[in-house]
Amino acid sequence: MAVKHTPTREVHKGTKGGMTGCGFDTRKNPDHWVNSHERITCDKNGCKN
């Protein structure tokens, strides 16, 4: 599953309501995050691999 950060349009590994692969907490500012099926664009460890 992927989750998109709408202000930056960056797509991370993870789901809304939890943590992304690289450590962002999607429960903080939940209106900035949406579940997505787009390709992951984050290059940080945990998201890209």
Side-chain angles (χ1 to χ4, degrees):
M1 187 61 154
V3 63
K4 185 174 187 176
H5 187 240
T6 52
T8 63
R9 300 178 150 223
E10 193 166 43
V11 182
H12 298 267
K13 183 182 201 178
T15 58
K16 186 173 177 174
M19 298 290 283
T20 67
C22 62
F24 283 109
D25 185 352
T26 64
R27 291 168 290 211
K28 294 178 182 172
N29 299 314
D31 52 325
H32 288 188
W33 298 95
V34 291
N35 284 323
S36 172
H37 293 289
E38 295 176 50
R39 188 175 63 80
I40 293 165
T41 59
C42 178
D43 285 334
K44 295 180 182 150
N45 277 344
C47 279
K48 72 174 179 178
N49 48 14

